[in-house]
Amino acid sequence: MIDPATVTECLHSFCKSCIVKHLQTKQTCPQCSILIHETAPMQYVGYDLTLQSIINKIVPGLVDRESQCLNEFYASRGLSVPQNGKQLSTYYSINQNGISFRGRCGG
């Protein structure tokens, strides 16, 4: 699972791109069918740092591999990586103690 997102109404988690795609046509949780919100369901889906930390510990190197794939995807099309598509490790790093957050300037 990349970029896990959790529905606040029921606490089910999904890959962010998967839940975004689902919510384009439905306003319910794909797992339990609870109504997330009638008009703005994405406001009730949040990035799950705890789950991302667990995934990164279980799958070492995942962040680096995903960043490399993202960069290769854009490079193969002659595009630069958009600002919101920066390397995943730009703002945090993973170590044996969990996630360490960096400032926006990489400090």
Side-chain angles (χ1 to χ4, degrees), residues 4 48-58 94 97-99:
D48 194 328
L49 288 173
T50 302
L51 183 54
Q52 185 67 61
S53 179
I54 292 167
I55 291 168
N56 290 336
K57 286 182 180 184
I58 294 171
I94 310 298
N97 297 321
I99 297 178

Side-chain angles (χ1 to χ4, degrees), residues 17-84:
S17 62
C18 296
I19 190 68
V20 167
K21 185 176 180 179
H22 174 81
L23 293 176
Q24 289 175 345
T25 59
K26 299 177 181 169
Q27 293 80 33
T28 58
C29 171
Q31 181 72 36
C32 67
S33 299
I34 190 171
L35 179 64
I36 298 171
H37 191 272
E38 283 187 34
T39 58
M42 279 305 300
Q43 291 182 358
Y44 296 87
V45 176
Y47 184 66
D48 194 328
L49 288 173
T50 302
L51 183 54
Q52 185 67 61
S53 179
I54 292 167
I55 291 168
N56 290 336
K57 286 182 180 184
I58 294 171
V59 186
L62 177 67
V63 171
D64 293 332
R65 286 194 305 274
E66 286 301 314
S67 293
Q68 182 179 357
C69 287
L70 181 71
N71 291 331
E72 289 172 3
F73 172 83
Y74 282 99
S76 71
R77 287 157 177 78
L79 303 170
S80 59
V81 179
Q83 186 71 344
N84 65 352

